[in-house]
Amino acid sequence: MSESLLSSRNLAFELFEVLDAEALTQRERFAEHSRETFDAAIDTARSIAEKLFAPHNRKNDEHEPEYVDGAAVLIPEVKPAVDAFLEAGFLNATRDFETGGMQLPNLLSQACFAHFQSANAATTSYPFLTMGAANLIETFGSAEQKQRFLQPMIEGRFFGTMALTEPHAGSSLSDIRTKAEPAADGSYRIKGNKIFISGGDHPLSENIVHMVLAKLPDAPPGVKGISLFIVPKFLVNDDGSLGPRNDVVLAGLFHKMGWRGTTSTALNFGDNAGGDNGGCVGYLVGKPHAGLSYMFQMMNEARIGVGMGAVMLGYAGYLYSLDYARQRPQGRLPDGKDPTSSQVAIIEHADVRRMLLTQKAYVEGAFDLGLYAARLFDDTQTLATEEERRSALELLDLLTPIVKSWPSEFCLKANELAIQILGGHGYTRDYPVEQYYRDNRLNPIHEGTHGIQSLDLLGRKVSMNGGAALKQLVKLIQGTCQRAEAHESLNALRQPLEQLLARLSAVTLALLGDLMSGKVNQGLANSALYLKVFGHLVIGWRWLEQAIKAEQGLAAGNPADADFYKGKLQAARYFLTWEVPSCHHDLALLEARDDTCLGMQDAWF
């Protein structure tokens, strides 16, 4: 039976051969877990995703939420799926046993969550946003805020959102206009408008807790004047019961090309200033004017989640087109001259294999990176020393723009290839691959565009702390290349990666020199190219790691796994000998400080 969500054999390979998930059970926090408990969690996730999430994925798309009498109405299948997710404990998979959690490593939580992302990205968004908002309150909220809002979120009774974007500002958060006026009781009155707020209204929970960025009256200009507020849909009484409706109004729904099952909302805060509550009540989180630094925790979690979501939509398209290619007979091989001979399955055609191999290289490379990032997060929390934890966090910070943006670009390309493999059928709504593409097309803008992520990578991340994280990454890649030398068959794969690493390192130093000398616009003009090359370097490194494990697996001699390992080696070969060398053209443009784009004038368009 073919698998439609993700390959269970590949997941086991990643968890237990490449990333050594079992080693985490030697750490005190995860000591009560084992391979058996990990497998049980994954099996449960797969079962719920297959039975309750996947069946309404198409219906979610065809019957998107409706705006009825000021509220969002969803198809009825969404709530039972979300409820099953909550009841199985996945909302709190990483939380302590004492608070009702599973105390799973983040690596295993992400592996479980990947099944839901593949099965139904839209429905999965509701708990995903809630998890991020709950973590934000847990880290920065007061004891009272945790009792009033966090505990019901942990229990699954309240859901959460992040409310950043405004109509006039888009990604330019320094220009937000939403205001927060202090009230006599210590709360604040919020007034403003937010747009594109995913999950901003729905009937899935008793309450919705919005994490809202706004500015106090004495706020300094720019990002240093942004504060963070908890703004509930319903006020919460001291005894935990729901109070009156807060002045948060659903102004309407956006209708996007994909991801249609998630409400995308326009919210108005404080339009009814003279109402029963005297306007929209909000509660300051942490210190004034520190809101953006707090929100970055949720934003970075969301960026990694978006990247994994892009991976899983690409993965779903790859698996569907692979199964289709094995089933669909069409044509004959170029040397088949007899028109009366049987047609061959299209997977026998070399160009179809090229498209499938490209998809495999993109989605399985990005899948490995996403899980690697999840394991890094575990390291930031559970490594033995503070220095080790800090180093892991630096590396995770450096990789976050890649984890978000590279899959959003290249797993989308995998979706394009899946459509092409289905031929004319791929462009119809009778097959799921066109929906996977439309859903995934939103990820290049979710949580910051490629351009924004590239500015973050080159303008901030590679040089932070004297380049400590970059030096750490270079050392890791060099170590992988050295271990690959033990396998003669990997020489042809290792060498292109070493060449790319050396050249990109030199380009990085030169570009950082531009930035430090004040040539900021010139140095960052082609940062998107830099992100692409940096991403290819990282994915190439992860493929070389997979190739080493595949060689070791073949040497172990289990015949049942031989085809799996050979497939891994072929995908690694494709990425490292087809994709990685193509980056040198981009590097040449970066070396030359090509100003074609920077020098273009408005009047010339």
Side-chain angles (χ1 to χ4, degrees), residues 462-483:
V462 296
S463 61
M464 63 183 182
N465 297 327
L470 182 60
K471 293 172 186 175
Q472 187 182 169
L473 178 62
V474 169
K475 186 176 180 180
L476 286 169
I477 296 173
Q478 289 172 337
T480 301
C481 291
Q482 289 171 0
R483 286 186 288 110

Side-chain angles (χ1 to χ4, degrees), residues 136-180:
L136 192 59
I137 296 173
E138 184 171 38
T139 303
F140 301 109
S142 66
E144 180 183 357
Q145 289 168 349
K146 291 177 185 178
Q147 180 61 36
R148 194 176 296 255
F149 300 107
L150 173 61
Q151 189 56 39
M153 294 172 81
I154 291 174
E155 295 167 5
R157 296 189 294 111
F158 292 6
F159 277 22
T161 76
M162 56 194 304
L164 286 70
T165 307
E166 298 184 9
H168 65 282
S171 299
S172 182
L173 295 178
S174 63
D175 296 315
I176 65 170
R177 295 174 185 163
T178 298
K179 297 295 183 183

Side-chain angles (χ1 to χ4, degrees), residues 298-379:
M298 187 173 179
M299 290 166 66
N300 284 331
E301 286 182 30
R303 285 169 176 174
I304 293 172
V306 166
M308 279 298 288
V311 172
M312 298 320 301
L313 285 165
Y315 212 141
Y318 162 59
L319 291 178
Y320 192 92
S321 65
L322 173 61
D323 186 60
Y324 183 91
R326 287 169 168 164
Q327 307 286 337
R328 168 72 173 179
Q330 185 170 307
R332 294 157 189 85
L333 297 181
D335 63 356
K337 305 301 183 182
D338 182 3
T340 64
S341 63
S342 298
Q343 293 185 328
V344 298
I346 62 173
I347 199 170
E348 297 298 322
H349 296 293
D351 197 54
V352 173
R353 292 184 180 183
R354 173 190 64 81
M355 290 187 283
L356 288 168
L357 190 56
T358 304
Q359 288 184 76
K360 182 180 176 70
Y362 288 167
V363 302
E364 291 185 6
F367 185 61
D368 174 280
L369 176 60
L371 292 182
Y372 178 80
R375 199 186 193 290
L376 266 182
F377 183 83
D378 288 319
D379 288 345

Side-chain angles (χ1 to χ4, degrees), residues 503-519:
R503 193 172 180 187
L504 180 58
S505 296
V507 167
T508 299
L509 288 174
L511 290 173
L512 290 179
D514 285 352
L515 300 182
M516 288 187 289
S517 64
K519 301 175 183 177

Side-chain angles (χ1 to χ4, degrees), residues 64-65 67 165-167 194-198 250-267:
E64 56 189 308
Y67 179 77
T165 307
E166 298 184 9
K194 301 287 185 177
I195 61 170
F196 301 138
I197 309 306
S198 297
L250 175 65
L253 297 174
F254 294 98
H255 302 282
K256 297 182 178 180
M257 66 180 288
W259 216 292
R260 295 178 175 180
T262 303
T263 55
S264 181
T265 64
L267 299 177

Side-chain angles (χ1 to χ4, degrees), residues 390-601:
R390 184 176 62 252
S391 293
L393 182 59
E394 287 175 346
L395 183 57
L396 181 59
D397 282 345
L398 174 66
L399 292 176
T400 294
I402 306 302
V403 176
K404 187 275 167 187
S405 271
W406 198 94
S408 298
E409 181 173 355
F410 288 94
C411 291
L412 179 64
K413 292 182 184 297
N415 288 124
E416 292 179 16
L417 293 171
I419 290 173
Q420 189 68 17
I421 286 170
L422 267 68
H425 294 299
Y427 296 85
T428 71
R429 300 193 68 187
D430 300 317
Y431 294 83
V433 289
E434 66 87 32
Q435 183 187 339
Y436 294 145
Y437 176 86
R438 286 188 290 103
D439 286 346
N440 217 356
R441 187 60 188 82
L442 274 65
N443 282 318
I445 200 168
H446 281 157
E447 298 308 321
T449 64
H450 296 321
I452 288 172
Q453 301 298 331
S454 69
L455 292 173
D456 183 41
L457 176 66
L458 179 56
R460 193 167 71 90
K461 294 294 179 63
V462 296
S463 61
M464 63 183 182
N465 297 327
L470 182 60
K471 293 172 186 175
Q472 187 182 169
L473 178 62
V474 169
K475 186 176 180 180
L476 286 169
I477 296 173
Q478 289 172 337
T480 301
C481 291
Q482 289 171 0
R483 286 186 288 110
E485 291 178 4
H487 305 277
E488 185 177 350
S489 61
L490 299 184
N491 281 337
L493 281 62
R494 170 180 56 81
Q495 291 165 356
L497 187 64
E498 291 175 328
Q499 292 163 6
L500 182 62
L501 176 61
R503 193 172 180 187
L504 180 58
S505 296
V507 167
T508 299
L509 288 174
L511 290 173
L512 290 179
D514 285 352
L515 300 182
M516 288 187 289
S517 64
K519 301 175 183 177
V520 178
N521 290 343
Q522 173 186 298
L524 296 177
N526 298 318
S527 61
L529 278 184
Y530 182 85
L531 184 145
K532 177 208 166 183
V533 175
F534 200 107
H536 268 58
L537 174 73
V538 170
I539 297 294
W541 164 51
R542 299 312 307 163
W543 264 118
L544 190 58
E545 281 284 350
Q546 292 188 63
I548 292 170
K549 295 299 182 182
E551 285 286 4
Q552 293 171 350
L554 283 174
N558 185 349
D561 279 333
D563 285 343
F564 173 81
Y565 290 128
K566 289 177 181 177
K568 281 291 181 185
L569 288 168
Q570 201 74 354
R573 178 184 174 189
Y574 171 83
F575 194 84
L576 286 158
T577 61
W578 281 52
E579 292 279 335
V580 165
S582 71
C583 292
H584 288 283
H585 171 70
D586 300 320
L587 285 170
L589 292 172
L590 290 166
E591 287 168 337
R593 310 298 195 278
D594 183 85
D595 66 349
T596 301
C597 299
L598 182 64
M600 183 63 178
Q601 300 296 310

